[in-house]
Amino acid sequence: MAVGRGFGGGWSVRVDLRMVSVCALVAAAAIIVGVVTLCVGDLPIAPDRVLAAVMGDGSRMETTVVLKWRMPRVVLALVLGALLGASGAIFQSVTRNPLGSPDVIGFNTGAYTGALVVILLIGQKGYYETAAGALIGGVATALAVYLLAYKRGVQGFRLIIVGIAVSAMLTSINAWILVKADLDRAMSASVWGAGSLNGLRWDNATPVLIVAALCVPLLVVAAVRMPILDLGDDAAKAVGLRAEGTRLYLILVGVVLTAIATAAAGPIAFVSLAAPQIARRLTGAPGVGLAPAAVMGALLLVASDLVAQRAFAPTPLPVGVVTVSVGGIYLVWLLFKEGRRQ
């Protein structure tokens, strides 16, 4: 831990050197995996030619493949992974439980319900219409879970239990919608529901990047308030922080981050669950942190997408298939470890 002081001693900043080092290393690893993703494919391109294409000195084909086809997917994987990791950190901090993630609480399922309503019931197949449906479904689910879990405030365990119940109900509704739908449209909706970055281009990525940038100030406020709330409601009130209002703010921010990612690529499972806990163990911190969880989420998603693209090449898989496989193993390990503590 390093401490820096301003001139005259008016302010001071504490820097966790281990956390900074871990964030830098994980971010570097994510960038390296992203560069590898730009190089591999049906048309392999050497790293120096990838750099030339990025700098504007590559051939026409190299520029098209790298900048127009592969770069949007890599950028979206990094940004969406960071959003999911940060969202998971927020919910695990609010619930004070490593199982408290949007996947478990059911917000991803609600977003999928919203998308299914748009695709199969309303009959809209456009990207932006589907994204809007997913966004509305995720926010509506979050509101329902919060209201059902509210009883003189929201406690973490109650929020998780209510979220699991709502998720189970929405899963049955989703299955009913798919069964009643036309086969071709149901297959298309099912692929989207697996969580996929396939076919996304800059016209899909640009709105996501703009909205993600607008969320940065919200994350800064959340990063300041989360450690205070972790001390307990009484300690938060002692420093003038309204505990329940802060908890609601954090839930809303977490829902927005999850909804953005789900609207862009479908419900990508387990990144929100695993990234904060892996980052926490690497940093040795007593609680989950936003920055480590975000960079870890970016690494997990970009690495999973690389596996999804190349594992069964030339047929790419939805990235959600890979994250579910890896996340399922992690969830079993986490449940086993938590069970041994009882």
Side-chain angles (χ1 to χ4, degrees):
M1 182 74 72
V3 179
R5 295 187 179 277
F7 294 105
W11 52 269
S12 63
V13 177
R14 294 193 306 169
V15 178
D16 189 329
L17 297 179
R18 179 174 175 178
M19 184 189 73
V20 172
S21 300
V22 168
C23 288
L25 290 174
V26 174
I31 293 173
I32 291 172
V33 175
V35 172
V36 172
T37 304
L38 294 176
C39 295
V40 302
D42 295 336
L43 178 64
I45 301 177
D48 61 320
R49 299 312 304 165
V50 168
L51 180 61
V54 173
M55 300 301 294
D57 297 328
S59 67
R60 185 173 182 178
M61 178 173 288
E62 290 170 343
T63 301
T64 299
V65 171
V66 173
L67 296 184
K68 292 186 178 181
W69 295 350
R70 296 179 183 173
M71 183 70 77
R73 182 168 182 154
V74 171
V75 171
L76 276 176
L78 292 171
V79 173
L80 298 184
L83 293 179
L84 291 172
S87 176
I90 289 174
F91 281 107
Q92 290 180 15
S93 175
V94 169
T95 61
R96 299 179 187 177
N97 192 310
L99 293 176
S101 79
D103 319 271
V104 177
I105 297 176
F107 300 153
N108 284 0
T109 308
Y112 187 29
T113 303
L116 287 178
V117 170
V118 171
I119 297 172
L120 301 180
L121 299 186
I122 300 178
Q124 297 292 328
K125 295 184 179 180
Y127 173 81
Y128 292 107
E129 291 86 350
T130 303
L135 184 64
I136 294 172
V139 173
T141 302
L143 179 62
V145 171
Y146 183 85
L147 293 177
L148 291 172
Y150 189 89
K151 185 178 180 181
R152 295 190 298 273
V154 173
Q155 300 300 320
F157 183 73
R158 186 187 302 125
L159 188 70
I160 293 175
I161 295 300
V162 171
I164 291 174
V166 171
S167 178
M169 181 185 68
L170 291 176
T171 298
S172 64
I173 294 175
N174 294 346
W176 180 84
I177 294 175
L178 288 171
V179 167
K180 292 295 182 180
D182 175 76
L183 180 60
D184 292 336
R185 295 166 63 189
M187 290 292 292
S188 176
S190 297
V191 171
W192 187 90
S196 177
L197 299 173
N198 298 336
L200 297 182
R201 297 291 181 258
W202 283 119
D203 57 342
N204 308 125
T206 302
V208 176
L209 298 179
I210 293 174
V211 176
L214 295 176
C215 290
V216 171
L218 302 178
L219 288 172
V220 172
V221 175
V224 173
R225 295 184 178 182
M226 277 172 54
I228 300 176
L229 194 62
D230 285 343
L231 298 176
D233 290 3
D234 292 338
K237 293 176 183 177
V239 297
L241 192 68
R242 294 179 59 234
E244 193 57 38
T246 300
R247 194 174 289 111
L248 177 60
Y249 171 82
L250 292 175
I251 291 175
L252 291 176
V253 172
V255 169
V256 169
L257 299 181
T258 302
I260 293 171
T262 305
I268 300 174
F270 286 110
V271 174
S272 297
L273 178 70
Q277 292 302 312
I278 295 174
R280 178 183 179 184
R281 282 160 176 75
L282 290 177
T283 59
V288 293
L290 276 181
V295 294
M296 181 57 67
L299 175 59
L300 289 178
L301 189 55
V302 74
S304 296
D305 189 52
L306 176 59
V307 174
Q309 290 184 64
R310 305 312 306 165
F312 295 94
T315 302
L317 296 175
V319 67
V321 173
V322 179
T323 60
V324 165
S325 301
V326 176
I329 297 173
Y330 169 78
L331 180 59
V332 170
W333 173 82
L334 182 61
L335 291 173
F336 177 76
K337 185 174 181 179
E338 291 297 315
R340 292 188 62 182
R341 290 182 178 179
Q342 303 302 324

